[in-house]
């Protein structure tokens, strides 16, 4: 499961020397599309100046188009009074420099601009027959606040080996019980190689197999502090199902030196009756990191989704179906999709309870089924792929973009869709995730063509590439993504970012008749585009390149142009 962030560190590997000859694409005319990718927030005057300065540099270096990832374009009604004048300045500048503008639309991977309108349109994971216990007129999750870890307070250890944990890397060598670093009254797991420098590069982790109930939502919490710490790979936690497949995808920002900070992740057990929690460090390098008070709990209705495709059902132990509004008040999570701002999903708040209209069920257990949103990595949440309201919002957004920008092209943002095909709206197609995505992208292309018949259409490659993400077991997508490509029109340009398997990927799309733009650089080194283009010489349909940065690093903009089409630096 290769993400964009991982590719940042791969794009610069196995590169030719700078003195190597330019490819046959060195003639500027051989590359019809010479684009630069810019992410911006045009509400800010300083951002406008930054974008215009990049425009000028790009035009001077021979670029002829800008893919503009500016999600405020999609939510005009929330922008400040300066936004439209700022946008007009940017459009006028692009026009004067003869740069085509290609705004991004249809955000089906990270769907914040859609979910800002209605967070219930998120795709969710199902929870089935979760037990709630009634006290008086209030029903709360039976597992609320109950620690599922054994020796979760890390109090019990023999030497430096923690008891009741399934496995521990290097006890007494790189993992230690630290009774001096107390937090919330508990000792800590310290991980470091100060006394064992020969272990540099090894792992320091603590494992525990945890019994869970299928299709229940859980939250893991841990406190972390560091001192001059650095890992070669990563640090934090992961949660694996019985097949070893990850169910949780944390991306925690851990500073080299910090005091105690709380970290959390939520996940759904899906079919599993047991999960493996792993806490620690992959690739020890230097310094120390402490983990304290790990807590694994059920969290019930956290980030509860309410729409027709995600119904809430409540029954008692005899199977009696309770009616919302008659037997219990309307249920919602008021913080879902609103904290810290609209369109974002907080996982730290308390889940809501169910308030009954009488005490007739006092002392009984209820069984509750529902769907919940699940943020991935940095908080990305994907919208449902087959909900009518999602398509309606996207059509309004496309119409706004066309009206205000009059773009030369539109870039469909179907990219890294990590939760799909679980709600009833999606399951109504009776298809795998691939066929569902094909259906979605077909509708999106038709919608874009209707609103902008003369505009070119382009799309990221990954979700339609069997050598990238279009395969079984992609993150939390339900069913294989194979066949997703069947929804693409052959006049939609593929923006290919599969540098890792570039030969296979380019050939795959070429054989199917697609034109391609190669998304190079990726915060690596500019020279990598030369190798990629050299391998593309014999591949029909490769018609362009795009300078692509996710860290807003345009320091290699001119060098990239030099290696791609011969601009003198």
């Amino acid at each position: 499961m290769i993400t964009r962030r991982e590719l940042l560190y791969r794009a610069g590997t196995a590169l030719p020397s700078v003195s190597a000859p330019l490819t046959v694409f060195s003639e500027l005319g051989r590359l019809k599309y010479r684009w630069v990718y810019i992410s911006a927030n045009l509400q800010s005057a300083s951002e406008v100046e930054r974008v215009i300065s990049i425009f000028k540099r790009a035009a001077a270096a021979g670029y002829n188009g800008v893919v503009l990832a500016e999600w405020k374009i999609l939510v005009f009604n929330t922008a400040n009074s300066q936004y439209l004048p700022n946008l007009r300045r940017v459009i006028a500048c692009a026009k004067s420099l003869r740069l085509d503008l290609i705004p991004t639309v249809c955000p089906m991977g990270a769907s914040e601009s859609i979910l800002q309108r209605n967070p219930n349109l998120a795709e969710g994971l199902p929870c089935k027959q979760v037990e709630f216990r009634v006290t008086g007129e209030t029903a709360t999750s039976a597992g609320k606040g109950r620690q599922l870890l054994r020796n979760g307070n890390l109090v019990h250890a023999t030497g430096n080996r923690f008891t009741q944990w399934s496995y521990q890397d290097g006890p007494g060598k790189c993992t230690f019980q630290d009774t001096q670093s107390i937090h919330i009254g508990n000792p800590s797991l310290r991980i470091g190689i100060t006394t064992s420098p020969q272990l540099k590069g090894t792992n320091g982790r603590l494992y525990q197999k945890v019994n869970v109930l299928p299709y229940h939502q859980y939250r893991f919490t841990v406190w972390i502090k560091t001192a001059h710490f650095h890992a070669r790979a990563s640090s934090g936690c992961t949660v694996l199902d019985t097949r070893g497949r990850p169910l949780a995808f944390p991306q925690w920002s851990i500073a080299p030196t910090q005091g105690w900070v709380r970290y959390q992740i939520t996940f759904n057990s899906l079919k599993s009756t047991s999960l493996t929690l792993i806490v620690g460090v992959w690739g020890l390098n230097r310094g120390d990191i402490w983990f304290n008070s790990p807590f694994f709990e059920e969290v019930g209705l956290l980030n509860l989704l309410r729409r027709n495709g995600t119904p809430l059902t409540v029954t008692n132990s005899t199977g009696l179906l309770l009616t919302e509004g008659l037997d219990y008040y309307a249920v919602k999570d008021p913080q879902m999709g609103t904290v810290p701002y609209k369109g974002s999903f907080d996982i730290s708040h308390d889940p809501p309870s169910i308030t009954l209209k009488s005490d007739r069920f006092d002392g009984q257990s209820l069984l509750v089924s529902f769907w919940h949103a699940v943020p991935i990595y940095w908080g990305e949440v994907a919208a449902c792929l087959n909900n009518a309201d999602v398509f309606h919002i996207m059509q309004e957004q496309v119409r706004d973009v066309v009206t205000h920008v009059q773009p030369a092209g539109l870039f469909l943002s179907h990219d890294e869709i990590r939760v799909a095909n679980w709600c009833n709206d999606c399951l109504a197609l009776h298809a795998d995730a691939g066929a569902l995505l094909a259906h979605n992208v077909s509708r999106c292309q038709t919608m874009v063509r209707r609103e902008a018949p003369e505009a070119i259409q382009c799309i990221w490659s990954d979700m339609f590439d069997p050598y990238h993400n279009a395969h079984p077991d992609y993150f939390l997508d339900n069913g294989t993504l194979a066949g997703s490509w069947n929804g693409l029109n052959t006049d939609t340009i593929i923006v290919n970012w599969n540098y890792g398997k570039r030969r296979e990927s380019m050939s795959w799309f070429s054989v199917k008749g697609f034109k391609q733009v190669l998304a190079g650089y990726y915060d690596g080194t500019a020279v990598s585009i030369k190798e990629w283009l050299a391998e593309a010489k014999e591949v029909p349909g490769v018609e362009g390149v795009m300078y692509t940065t996710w860290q807003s690093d345009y320091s290699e903009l001119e060098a990239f142009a030099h290696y791609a089409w011969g601009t003198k630096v």
Side-chain angles (χ1 to χ4, degrees), residues 324-342:
E324 191 169 14
L326 180 63
D327 297 307
Y328 58 93
Y329 292 96
V331 182
K332 66 177 294 186
D333 182 349
Q335 298 190 63
M336 189 274 297
T338 63
V339 177
Y341 48 82
K342 288 184 178 179

Side-chain angles (χ1 to χ4, degrees), residues 1-294:
M1 290 182 275
I2 299 173
T3 67
R4 292 192 183 285
R5 303 262 174 168
E6 291 174 88
L7 279 176
L8 300 185
Y9 302 102
R10 299 189 182 190
T13 61
L15 301 177
S17 66
V18 174
S19 59
L22 293 173
T23 71
V24 295
F25 288 97
S26 59
E27 298 178 19
L28 186 142
R30 295 295 299 271
L31 290 173
K32 182 177 180 180
Y33 305 109
R34 304 180 300 280
W35 296 343
V36 55
Y37 181 93
I38 301 178
S39 178
N41 177 3
L42 298 182
Q43 286 194 128
S44 163
S46 62
E47 272 287 272
V48 172
E49 297 303 325
R50 182 183 72 90
V51 168
I52 287 175
S53 71
I54 297 169
F55 279 12
K56 292 177 179 178
R57 287 174 56 199
Y63 291 85
N64 62 6
V66 175
V67 172
L68 186 61
E70 165 41 321
W71 73 280
K72 284 291 184 183
I73 295 179
L74 305 179
V75 286
F76 272 106
N77 59 319
T78 68
N80 63 28
S81 60
Q82 289 302 306
Y83 184 78
L84 199 53
N86 288 349
L87 177 62
R88 287 170 177 160
R89 272 195 69 198
V90 168
I91 294 170
C93 178
K95 185 175 182 180
S96 69
L97 296 171
R98 298 184 179 180
L99 292 172
D100 289 337
L101 281 182
I102 305 146
T104 58
V105 295
C106 301
M108 295 312 304
S111 305
E112 184 178 325
S113 67
I114 295 172
L115 303 178
Q116 189 180 81
R117 294 270 297 270
N118 182 359
N120 289 295
L121 296 177
E123 183 58 10
L125 296 179
C127 285
K128 301 180 181 181
Q129 303 222 309
V130 179
E131 183 184 5
F132 276 59
R133 291 177 183 163
V134 182
T135 301
E137 298 177 0
T138 302
T140 56
S141 169
K144 181 180 179 182
R146 188 171 72 217
Q147 167 73 287
L148 296 178
L149 293 175
R150 300 176 302 282
N151 191 21
N153 56 13
L154 303 178
V155 167
H156 303 293
T158 301
N160 285 294
R161 185 183 295 275
F162 293 95
T163 61
Q164 296 186 285
W165 287 77
S166 311
Y167 175 79
Q168 181 176 343
D169 288 316
K173 296 179 180 178
C174 62
T175 58
F176 310 86
Q177 185 191 44
D178 190 340
T179 57
Q180 301 303 308
S181 294
I182 303 294
H183 186 64
I184 320 180
N186 297 322
S188 302
L189 161 66
R190 179 175 68 84
I191 303 174
I193 55 172
T194 303
T195 58
S196 303
Q198 71 277 11
L199 295 179
K200 182 176 286 191
T202 61
N203 301 325
R205 302 161 302 177
L206 199 57
Y207 288 58
Q208 187 169 143
K209 184 177 179 180
V210 185
N211 293 325
V212 296
L213 293 169
Y215 293 104
H216 280 50
Q217 182 180 196
Y218 296 91
R219 177 167 61 198
F220 175 68
T221 303
V222 68
W223 292 81
I224 298 174
K225 76 170 184 176
T226 57
H228 311 292
F229 172 74
H230 180 263
R232 289 185 178 180
S234 63
S235 54
C237 82
T238 189
V239 178
L240 308 178
D241 68 9
T242 51
R243 294 187 299 149
R245 180 184 179 186
L247 296 180
F249 305 92
Q251 192 68 39
W252 293 340
S253 296
I254 301 174
T257 298
Q258 65 178 41
W260 290 112
V261 177
R262 186 183 68 174
Y263 295 87
Q264 295 181 305
I265 189 68
T266 56
F267 45 93
N268 190 300
S269 55
L270 298 180
K271 296 179 180 180
S272 297
T273 56
S274 66
L275 301 175
T276 299
L277 169 72
I278 307 175
V279 179
V281 180
W282 287 257
L284 288 159
N285 192 28
R286 64 175 180 270
D288 294 282
I289 184 169
W290 289 262
F291 293 82
N292 188 277
S293 302

Side-chain angles (χ1 to χ4, degrees), residues 513-526:
F514 291 101
K515 297 177 182 177
Q516 297 178 68
V517 168
L518 307 181
Y521 180 53
Y522 264 74
D523 301 281
T525 56

Side-chain angles (χ1 to χ4, degrees), residues 386-438:
N386 198 38
N387 181 278
D389 289 340
V390 171
F391 286 107
H392 177 71
I393 290 172
M394 287 194 296
Q395 183 168 1
E396 289 184 345
Q397 291 175 339
V398 170
R399 189 172 296 151
D400 279 345
V401 170
V402 171
T403 299
H404 292 284
V405 182
Q406 297 181 331
L410 291 166
F411 196 120
L412 280 67
S413 299
H414 291 65
D415 175 46
E416 296 183 322
I417 303 169
R418 297 179 175 125
V419 182
N421 202 30
W422 290 101
C423 74
N424 288 346
D425 288 332
C426 294
L427 295 178
L429 288 183
H430 304 287
D432 279 327
L436 170 67
L437 180 54

Side-chain angles (χ1 to χ4, degrees), residues 451-469:
E451 299 297 333
E454 302 302 319
I456 62 171
Q457 294 188 33
C458 45
I459 196 166
W460 294 114
S461 61
D462 59 300
M463 299 306 298
F464 310 95
D465 182 351
Y467 299 99
H468 205 165
N469 295 340

